[in-house]
Amino acid sequence: MKYDVQETEIRWQKEWAKAKVFETEANSNKPKFYCLEMFPYPSGNMHMGHVRNYSIGDSMARFQRLMGKNVLYPMGYDSFGMPAENAAKKEQGHPHYVTHRNIASIRADQERMGYSYDWRRSLTTSDVEYYRWNQEIFLMLNEKGLVERRYAPVNWCNDCDTVLANEQVKNNRCWRCGLEVIQKDMAQWFLRMTDYSDELLDELDNISFPENVKSMQRNWIGRSQGANIDFTVFNSDSKISVFTTRPDTIFGTTFVTLSPEHHLCEELCKNTEWEKGWRKLHDECSKLSEFERINMLKDKKGVFLGKYAVNPLSKEKIPIYAGNFVVASYGTGAVMAVPGHDQRDFDFAKKYDLPIKQVLSNELNDDNDGDIKSAFEGYGAMINSYTDKFDGLYGEDAKNAIISELENIQSGEGAVQYRLKDWLLSRQRFWGTPIPMIHCKSCGVVPVPKSSLPVMLPLDVIFREDQSGNPLDNHKDFINVNCPICGNKAKRETDTMDTFYDSSWYFMRYCDSNNANSPFDKETVDYWMKGGIDLYIGGIEHAVMHLLYARFFTKIIRDADMISVGEPFGRLVCQGMLNSPTPFCSKCNVDYHIDFFDCNCPTCGELLGQRSAKMSKSLGNTISPGQMVDIYGADTVRLFILFGANPEAGMDWSDSVLEANHRQLKSIIEALSSALLMPKSSSKMDNWIIAKLRKNQEKWKKVMSDVSLREGVMLSHFTMLSDWNWYRRRGGNNYEIAIEFLKTWLPMLSPITPHLAEEFWYRMGQEGYLAKFELPENVIPNNDNIILSYETLLRNVIDSSRNVKGLAERHVDSEITTLTIQTSPKWKYDLAREAITLQSKGFDFRSKGTEYLKSLPIFKNEQIRGEIFQTWTILTIGTKKKRGKIFTWAEDDKNLITNMNNESEFLSSNINFISKELGLDFVTIYSVGEGEDVAGKARLAFPLEPGIAFT
RNA sequence: GCUGGGAUACCCGAGUGGUCAAAGGGGCCGGACUUAAGCUCCGGUGGCAAAGCCUUCGUGGGUUCAAAUCCCACUCCCAGCACCA
């Protein structure tokens, strides 16, 4: 039967859409499965990374439908953001139209892949139907006090008159005009994410994220336990508060270092000889990007500020410095420097010749009272304290003692610091959700009343290349508004929201996408989100930002009583990189554009080799999914991508593997087609194939439930086919069995290659769509394993015969025509069964085995006594290298031995097949002793391992 | 430097104590079919004197009757964080 890939795939895609087979509603009578993929930015066409992401998701969605789950599988577009503005500028248009054009194109690509989304739920964040809820939620957060407006430094380009994102700053210069970027303090909107630091961190222990993601989030939140300690400034009312994780080293403090931006710096050195030095350091630091600053910091610099601080416990007077290595935004922006026990402070002290004091004993290295070469950063017993009561204290005890002393004298307290900062929400850009606030001269900053929402982005804006800044700033209709409180003329806020805000709750909106009255209905979202999203698939690049924002958002939504769960994602799978061959110079360690294949290295001149590198536009090593689908069809591309590697692993693109996968599908199609044309002729293989079918299916269900897709594909697309081929090779040819087989095989094929599965479901004459089919529960009959074991025995005998034949051919001069198989004599079977029974009772063969053997009636047979003894040993004890057979036989082998009536009879019933497989004229099979002992192989015969001789 | 993850045959990749010379795929080799294949099917793919023996799962040690698998040390690779007090 003909199978036209393109025609068939497109036909079924249309059929599925027409019949609305993927549309779902909440249904409390059915277990749910929420399968979600990371929100795509619609940048034009779908790329291979998307294909991988969605092929994983779609196959899991389809699998869970088969398993009887009510599956929510939505798709939508995260469409706000800079790229659309830039594209609009290029074509002198509006981001809205650019966005919608791109969405249409990516959606067409997705549909062509056959992804089973419920398209009714699709949403686009740049549409007012979505972003109006952003605004409503924002107002709610504002009421709850989670919104803050405060000044913060931003990257600013004077030429372009705009704020730059970190990634738009290259070498501290604007990516567009090349002017040096400065840090500018601007009023910004923040969400108080730090209120949730502890919950965000602690909950990580309970969610099933991959370890690397958890570790990244822990790093990012960066909680550290310590103390805030107040140092007073000598002869002044000012205080310097420092944060330290090592209060136990307080007596080793020999100076205090402030970040150059610290508000006290100016106050301390103003109008003194020290001011100039500080200003210089301050200016140097403030114009550096964070990246440069970290690089520059290798060179530690500091200036004395001319004043002294007083250690609250020892009352020592110590100098105050400003240092470029102290980060203003971490802790209090001030450090108590303990050069004896902190390497960084040690280096600084050496450079500026400041005293170094040891206040912890270093047991490992106690004898060096002379020159100290480095700081001792470990824990040690306190020494040299200014009062006896601390000496000898160690580690946590020491820290706690210092903290409580500080609390007693009100000069400090235990404190926790986080690296995590509040979420800077505002962007000085056009293409984002307008922040619903109004600036009124008399009333201040006031929220837009809920009834006046949404604040819509104007569509009558033309973007031009030469434009800079935010067009909203100059849009009179947008900006001019009356104050909702006093009614006087006021201005709208023109900042828009970070797009991570959009993607922090889109998965909740999917549950109730078309709700026109609220973001979503609580009952509905609770049904779908219970226990979190069951499977969330996406790239590792969102490990920190998106996944953390979304977790935070879910918690504030929960605290607003709009949802019941506090963690949005149940299981998270981060798909691996997609690589493809790229020219590479191993000497220079550089990847080159694919144009350089087989060329010499432009740098060192050596011939370039190749290696796998991440698919990227700059290397040109991308593969266009559309092109591949045009050649091979969606099913082949899906099979390649899912079989190529497990979801988490990286994978390499390979044309030859893709073609091989295409051939595999052709073989499957051929097998399916011919199965439908079989006559109704039953054979002894019918039971075998059905038993194998059940076994494969059980295994398949298990591995697929674990998202072990590669293993799943191996079973559904490789093992099942080769089993079916074996069935046919062994004479299986029964239409009724074929139908029974296909009724399970086609569903197994459908998650990965849905079109071909659906097509044959149809050709087979099944009612309804396979896409909606639910696999019935299987009952596995007990004797399945025995049926399979018999066949395994036959295959093993043929395999070893084949090996032995090769040997025989080398040793025998004449042509080989005859195979003689001597199966194990009955007494060996009897002994084997005896041993198996004893083993199941926990018999100790080492101490009592021989004695037991001697008590058996068979042992009286003196002629074969030696062989009996040997057999017993092989069975129960084994040799130096091998354990006894009863320990190495699998359960199935043991069952077979126990149940085997007559091995030679079984093999004889397959004599024609054996001779055909081995290309022989004569095959003789008998039990040892019932015929001539050809080539003395009788002794080798063992249960399941007959003696084999060729002549 | 810290944290997390790795290293398995020509390549990709499964494999958490014995049934492991190690699944599956690619590649390669051989055979069958065919006028002919780059199609399809079957077989082989560490070594050897071959129903066996020897060597091999990053390197070196150890535990065990038994190690790819457990423990220790080291090397290298990937990722994240980083003068974070």
Side-chain angles (χ1 to χ4, degrees), chain A residues 469-492:
Chain A
N470 183 351
L472 287 179
D473 292 337
N474 307 313
H475 196 285
K476 293 201 173 57
D477 291 346
F478 179 85
I479 215 167
N480 292 321
V481 66
N482 292 329
C483 172
I485 295 174
C486 66
N488 289 333
K489 280 189 176 167
K491 303 269 184 210
R492 266 193 207 288

mmCIF file of all heavy atoms in Angstrom, chain A residues 469-492:
data_model
loop_
_atom_site.group_PDB
_atom_site.id
_atom_site.type_symbol
_atom_site.label_atom_id
_atom_site.label_comp_id
_atom_site.label_asym_id
_atom_site.label_seq_id
_atom_site.Cartn_x
_atom_site.Cartn_y
_atom_site.Cartn_z
ATOM 1 N N GLY A 469 15.099 56.144 22.542
ATOM 2 C CA GLY A 469 14.240 56.332 23.700
ATOM 3 C C GLY A 469 12.900 55.647 23.539
ATOM 4 O O GLY A 469 12.709 54.814 22.663
ATOM 5 N N ASN A 470 11.999 56.014 24.411
ATOM 6 C CA ASN A 470 10.701 55.369 24.465
ATOM 7 C C ASN A 470 9.648 56.264 23.800
ATOM 8 O O ASN A 470 9.376 57.357 24.277
ATOM 9 C CB ASN A 470 10.349 55.135 25.939
ATOM 10 C CG ASN A 470 9.039 54.396 26.092
ATOM 11 O OD1 ASN A 470 8.312 54.198 25.119
ATOM 12 N ND2 ASN A 470 8.749 53.995 27.311
ATOM 13 N N PRO A 471 9.036 55.802 22.705
ATOM 14 C CA PRO A 471 8.054 56.631 22.004
ATOM 15 C C PRO A 471 6.876 57.041 22.887
ATOM 16 O O PRO A 471 6.207 58.032 22.595
ATOM 17 C CB PRO A 471 7.568 55.737 20.860
ATOM 18 C CG PRO A 471 8.587 54.663 20.719
ATOM 19 C CD PRO A 471 9.240 54.505 22.041
ATOM 20 N N LEU A 472 6.637 56.306 23.950
ATOM 21 C CA LEU A 472 5.522 56.672 24.827
ATOM 22 C C LEU A 472 5.750 58.047 25.455
ATOM 23 O O LEU A 472 4.804 58.790 25.717
ATOM 24 C CB LEU A 472 5.357 55.632 25.941
ATOM 25 C CG LEU A 472 4.765 54.280 25.547
ATOM 26 C CD1 LEU A 472 4.699 53.384 26.771
ATOM 27 C CD2 LEU A 472 3.391 54.435 24.919
ATOM 28 N N ASP A 473 7.037 58.376 25.677
ATOM 29 C CA ASP A 473 7.361 59.655 26.313
ATOM 30 C C ASP A 473 6.833 60.835 25.510
ATOM 31 O O ASP A 473 6.565 61.902 26.061
ATOM 32 C CB ASP A 473 8.880 59.802 26.475
ATOM 33 C CG ASP A 473 9.429 58.814 27.488
ATOM 34 O OD1 ASP A 473 8.645 58.347 28.341
ATOM 35 O OD2 ASP A 473 10.627 58.479 27.420
ATOM 36 N N ASN A 474 6.710 60.657 24.203
ATOM 37 C CA ASN A 474 6.276 61.757 23.354
ATOM 38 C C ASN A 474 4.864 61.575 22.799
ATOM 39 O O ASN A 474 4.458 62.272 21.886
ATOM 40 C CB ASN A 474 7.245 61.918 22.171
ATOM 41 C CG ASN A 474 8.674 62.038 22.667
ATOM 42 O OD1 ASN A 474 8.931 62.805 23.589
ATOM 43 N ND2 ASN A 474 9.564 61.262 22.082
ATOM 44 N N HIS A 475 4.185 60.588 23.287
ATOM 45 C CA HIS A 475 2.852 60.304 22.750
ATOM 46 C C HIS A 475 1.799 61.001 23.603
ATOM 47 O O HIS A 475 1.449 60.533 24.699
ATOM 48 C CB HIS A 475 2.612 58.784 22.737
ATOM 49 C CG HIS A 475 1.464 58.376 21.876
ATOM 50 N ND1 HIS A 475 0.156 58.570 22.248
ATOM 51 C CD2 HIS A 475 1.426 57.813 20.638
ATOM 52 C CE1 HIS A 475 -0.630 58.115 21.299
ATOM 53 N NE2 HIS A 475 0.113 57.652 20.303
ATOM 54 N N LYS A 476 1.285 62.119 23.090
ATOM 55 C CA LYS A 476 0.453 62.984 23.929
ATOM 56 C C LYS A 476 -0.824 62.294 24.401
ATOM 57 O O LYS A 476 -1.223 62.414 25.553
ATOM 58 C CB LYS A 476 0.112 64.269 23.162
ATOM 59 C CG LYS A 476 1.356 65.107 22.922
ATOM 60 C CD LYS A 476 0.999 66.557 22.645
ATOM 61 C CE LYS A 476 2.247 67.431 22.585
ATOM 62 N NZ LYS A 476 3.235 66.992 21.571
ATOM 63 N N ASP A 477 -1.474 61.547 23.471
ATOM 64 C CA ASP A 477 -2.724 60.898 23.872
ATOM 65 C C ASP A 477 -2.509 59.901 24.993
ATOM 66 O O ASP A 477 -3.375 59.685 25.835
ATOM 67 C CB ASP A 477 -3.349 60.152 22.672
ATOM 68 C CG ASP A 477 -3.847 61.138 21.644
ATOM 69 O OD1 ASP A 477 -3.941 62.335 21.995
ATOM 70 O OD2 ASP A 477 -4.117 60.728 20.504
ATOM 71 N N PHE A 478 -1.340 59.275 24.947
ATOM 72 C CA PHE A 478 -1.074 58.274 25.977
ATOM 73 C C PHE A 478 -0.729 58.936 27.296
ATOM 74 O O PHE A 478 -1.251 58.590 28.353
ATOM 75 C CB PHE A 478 0.087 57.378 25.538
ATOM 76 C CG PHE A 478 0.447 56.329 26.558
ATOM 77 C CD1 PHE A 478 -0.238 55.120 26.603
ATOM 78 C CD2 PHE A 478 1.464 56.549 27.481
ATOM 79 C CE1 PHE A 478 0.080 54.158 27.545
ATOM 80 C CE2 PHE A 478 1.786 55.592 28.440
ATOM 81 C CZ PHE A 478 1.103 54.389 28.461
ATOM 82 N N ILE A 479 0.120 59.937 27.201
ATOM 83 C CA ILE A 479 0.753 60.447 28.410
ATOM 84 C C ILE A 479 -0.160 61.368 29.225
ATOM 85 O O ILE A 479 -0.130 61.362 30.449
ATOM 86 C CB ILE A 479 2.082 61.138 28.009
ATOM 87 C CG1 ILE A 479 3.121 60.917 29.098
ATOM 88 C CG2 ILE A 479 1.892 62.599 27.731
ATOM 89 C CD1 ILE A 479 4.493 61.287 28.646
ATOM 90 N N ASN A 480 -0.990 62.102 28.529
ATOM 91 C CA ASN A 480 -1.831 63.073 29.245
ATOM 92 C C ASN A 480 -3.084 62.412 29.799
ATOM 93 O O ASN A 480 -3.818 61.737 29.077
ATOM 94 C CB ASN A 480 -2.208 64.218 28.315
ATOM 95 C CG ASN A 480 -0.995 65.053 27.970
ATOM 96 O OD1 ASN A 480 -0.136 65.297 28.821
ATOM 97 N ND2 ASN A 480 -0.912 65.462 26.712
ATOM 98 N N VAL A 481 -3.312 62.650 31.063
ATOM 99 C CA VAL A 481 -4.410 61.974 31.738
ATOM 100 C C VAL A 481 -4.815 62.846 32.918
ATOM 101 O O VAL A 481 -4.057 63.701 33.356
ATOM 102 C CB VAL A 481 -3.938 60.570 32.195
ATOM 103 C CG1 VAL A 481 -2.859 60.669 33.257
ATOM 104 C CG2 VAL A 481 -5.098 59.723 32.684
ATOM 105 N N ASN A 482 -6.006 62.644 33.408
ATOM 106 C CA ASN A 482 -6.407 63.371 34.607
ATOM 107 C C ASN A 482 -6.159 62.521 35.825
ATOM 108 O O ASN A 482 -6.377 61.303 35.809
ATOM 109 C CB ASN A 482 -7.889 63.739 34.532
ATOM 110 C CG ASN A 482 -8.129 64.762 33.441
ATOM 111 O OD1 ASN A 482 -7.257 65.588 33.142
ATOM 112 N ND2 ASN A 482 -9.288 64.676 32.797
ATOM 113 N N CYS A 483 -5.714 63.175 36.881
ATOM 114 C CA CYS A 483 -5.429 62.440 38.112
ATOM 115 C C CYS A 483 -6.716 61.830 38.644
ATOM 116 O O CYS A 483 -7.730 62.533 38.771
ATOM 117 C CB CYS A 483 -4.831 63.376 39.161
ATOM 118 S SG CYS A 483 -4.664 62.585 40.762
ATOM 119 N N PRO A 484 -6.712 60.552 38.935
ATOM 120 C CA PRO A 484 -7.948 59.908 39.414
ATOM 121 C C PRO A 484 -8.368 60.390 40.792
ATOM 122 O O PRO A 484 -9.513 60.191 41.182
ATOM 123 C CB PRO A 484 -7.578 58.419 39.437
ATOM 124 C CG PRO A 484 -6.098 58.357 39.382
ATOM 125 C CD PRO A 484 -5.609 59.616 38.753
ATOM 126 N N ILE A 485 -7.463 61.074 41.500
ATOM 127 C CA ILE A 485 -7.836 61.554 42.836
ATOM 128 C C ILE A 485 -8.325 62.988 42.784
ATOM 129 O O ILE A 485 -9.460 63.276 43.139
ATOM 130 C CB ILE A 485 -6.645 61.430 43.813
ATOM 131 C CG1 ILE A 485 -6.301 59.941 44.008
ATOM 132 C CG2 ILE A 485 -6.983 62.070 45.159
ATOM 133 C CD1 ILE A 485 -5.065 59.695 44.836
ATOM 134 N N CYS A 486 -7.478 63.873 42.257
ATOM 135 C CA CYS A 486 -7.862 65.281 42.284
ATOM 136 C C CYS A 486 -8.467 65.753 40.970
ATOM 137 O O CYS A 486 -9.046 66.844 40.896
ATOM 138 C CB CYS A 486 -6.664 66.152 42.657
ATOM 139 S SG CYS A 486 -5.355 66.146 41.414
ATOM 140 N N GLY A 487 -8.325 64.967 39.926
ATOM 141 C CA GLY A 487 -8.930 65.349 38.653
ATOM 142 C C GLY A 487 -8.109 66.318 37.835
ATOM 143 O O GLY A 487 -8.461 66.613 36.695
ATOM 144 N N ASN A 488 -6.999 66.793 38.385
ATOM 145 C CA ASN A 488 -6.172 67.729 37.636
ATOM 146 C C ASN A 488 -5.346 67.006 36.590
ATOM 147 O O ASN A 488 -5.240 65.785 36.597
ATOM 148 C CB ASN A 488 -5.240 68.481 38.594
ATOM 149 C CG ASN A 488 -6.016 69.457 39.453
ATOM 150 O OD1 ASN A 488 -7.092 69.947 39.040
ATOM 151 N ND2 ASN A 488 -5.498 69.720 40.648
ATOM 152 N N LYS A 489 -4.738 67.826 35.722
ATOM 153 C CA LYS A 489 -3.905 67.239 34.682
ATOM 154 C C LYS A 489 -2.737 66.497 35.296
ATOM 155 O O LYS A 489 -2.076 66.996 36.210
ATOM 156 C CB LYS A 489 -3.405 68.325 33.746
ATOM 157 C CG LYS A 489 -4.465 68.716 32.746
ATOM 158 C CD LYS A 489 -3.925 69.635 31.689
ATOM 159 C CE LYS A 489 -5.040 69.909 30.668
ATOM 160 N NZ LYS A 489 -4.676 71.026 29.792
ATOM 161 N N ALA A 490 -2.473 65.306 34.751
ATOM 162 C CA ALA A 490 -1.370 64.490 35.274
ATOM 163 C C ALA A 490 -0.747 63.731 34.115
ATOM 164 O O ALA A 490 -1.208 63.820 32.988
ATOM 165 C CB ALA A 490 -1.890 63.531 36.332
ATOM 166 N N LYS A 491 0.342 63.039 34.412
ATOM 167 C CA LYS A 491 1.047 62.276 33.371
ATOM 168 C C LYS A 491 1.021 60.794 33.705
ATOM 169 O O LYS A 491 1.194 60.398 34.868
ATOM 170 C CB LYS A 491 2.527 62.716 33.310
ATOM 171 C CG LYS A 491 2.720 64.183 33.071
ATOM 172 C CD LYS A 491 2.815 64.460 31.587
ATOM 173 C CE LYS A 491 3.108 65.943 31.355
ATOM 174 N NZ LYS A 491 2.544 66.411 30.076
ATOM 175 N N ARG A 492 0.889 60.017 32.639
ATOM 176 C CA ARG A 492 0.986 58.574 32.845
ATOM 177 C C ARG A 492 2.427 58.147 33.024
ATOM 178 O O ARG A 492 3.331 58.724 32.435
ATOM 179 C CB ARG A 492 0.473 57.860 31.594
ATOM 180 C CG ARG A 492 -0.960 57.487 31.672
ATOM 181 C CD ARG A 492 -1.308 56.529 30.562
ATOM 182 N NE ARG A 492 -2.713 56.646 30.238
ATOM 183 C CZ ARG A 492 -3.674 56.203 31.036
ATOM 184 N NH1 ARG A 492 -3.376 55.615 32.177
ATOM 185 N NH2 ARG A 492 -4.948 56.366 30.698
#
